[in-house]
Amino acid sequence: NELKFDLRLYVLVTSFHPLRVYLFQQGLVRFCTQKYSDDAGLLGHLTNYTLNKMSKKFEESEDEGSGSKWSFLAFMDYVKKKHGE
C-alpha cells in the first residue's frame, strides 16, 4: 500500500551459547499516514503514533488488521495472503 511501517517486536534471550530466543507473538506494526516518497514530509517518513494520530488520514484500528496500527499476527496474516507462505 506504499506506506512506510515499523515493527515493534519483543524477544527474550535466555542463552547465548547455544543461542535461545523467544519471540512474543503480540508485537505491533505502525504505519505512516501518507504514502512514502522523497517529498512526503514527516507523516510519510515517521511512524510515530503521536504524530500520525493528528493526520486527517489517521485511521483508528477497529480490529487487528485495519487502521494505522496493527497487531504483528494480523500483519503476518496479511503478508501470507498477499505474498504466500
Side-chain angles (χ1 to χ4, degrees):
N1 59 10
E2 300 179 43
L3 296 174
K4 190 174 177 182
F5 62 91
D6 72 18
L7 302 173
R8 182 168 290 189
L9 302 174
Y10 301 95
V11 298
L12 172 65
V13 179
T14 59
S15 174
F16 288 99
H17 299 288
L19 182 61
R20 185 172 294 130
V21 179
Y22 298 92
L23 173 65
F24 181 60
Q25 296 288 315
Q26 295 299 317
L28 294 175
V29 182
R30 301 178 306 173
F31 293 90
C32 288
T33 52
Q34 292 184 9
K35 289 187 177 185
Y36 179 80
S37 70
D38 289 340
D39 60 350
L42 286 178
L43 299 178
H45 292 277
L46 300 177
T47 59
N48 182 286
Y49 180 79
T50 303
L51 289 175
N52 280 285
K53 73 179 181 182
M54 291 185 256
S55 170
K56 293 177 185 175
K57 295 181 180 181
F58 179 80
E59 297 177 29
E60 280 293 337
S61 300
E62 294 182 18
D63 57 44
E64 290 192 349
S66 69
S68 295
K69 191 184 329 183
W70 294 14
S71 72
F72 177 66
L73 291 177
F75 178 73
M76 291 307 297
D77 286 343
Y78 169 82
V79 170
K80 287 176 187 174
K81 287 176 188 170
K82 184 93 173 160
H83 302 287
E85 298 279 334

